[in-house]
Amino acid sequence: MAARIADLADTLLQHPEFRAARLGVRQRVGRTIISTLDTAADDSVAWEALRIADEQIETLAATAYQAVQANLDRIVRELVTNAEFRAAATAGARNRVTEKVLTAVADGFAPSAYLRNEVTTRAYRQLRGLSAHQ
């Protein structure tokens, strides 16, 4: 049973949708993945695999975002030149583009809302400054 739990947890960690899911929806995403992959998994096996994967993903994401923090200026510059970001007409649309970019550079892990908002705001301010001078 322990090997089965470990295998399911590892499968979750490798699954892009689980990696990118925010904490609030990760359990639901994980349960869906497990039910698709292992229809015979009982609740105790599924919950233990989810618990293990969730703990590990938080550690992995924190490590990935430490590296991202060191490159925020570059990421902001990339967003300013990103056609999708430039075309985004609302704050929500800009946040979605920023989240997609941050997730890509952080090995598939979703950013915190705080970091996403900070990067979006910095890029938007730079974009507005560039637009005013063009």
Side-chain angles (χ1 to χ4, degrees), residues 30-73:
R31 293 284 295 176
T32 301
I33 293 166
I34 289 173
S35 68
T36 303
L37 297 174
D38 188 350
T39 56
D42 64 36
D43 280 346
S44 63
V45 168
W47 283 115
E48 185 62 12
L50 280 166
R51 185 191 64 74
I52 290 168
D54 195 49
E55 286 176 1
Q56 290 178 0
I57 216 154
E58 289 298 317
T59 300
L60 293 169
T63 301
Y65 274 99
Q66 284 176 346
V68 168
Q69 291 281 355
N71 293 301
L72 284 185
D73 290 338

Side-chain angles (χ1 to χ4, degrees), residues 47-109:
W47 283 115
E48 185 62 12
L50 280 166
R51 185 191 64 74
I52 290 168
D54 195 49
E55 286 176 1
Q56 290 178 0
I57 216 154
E58 289 298 317
T59 300
L60 293 169
T63 301
Y65 274 99
Q66 284 176 346
V68 168
Q69 291 281 355
N71 293 301
L72 284 185
D73 290 338
R74 179 186 57 80
I75 294 165
V76 167
R77 284 191 306 272
E78 286 178 17
L79 279 169
V80 169
T81 61
N82 180 299
E84 189 178 359
F85 188 85
R86 292 175 76 91
T90 65
R94 287 186 292 276
N95 279 337
R96 285 189 291 280
V97 175
T98 301
E99 186 162 331
K100 188 169 31 173
V101 168
L102 287 171
T103 300
V105 298
D107 202 23
F109 297 108

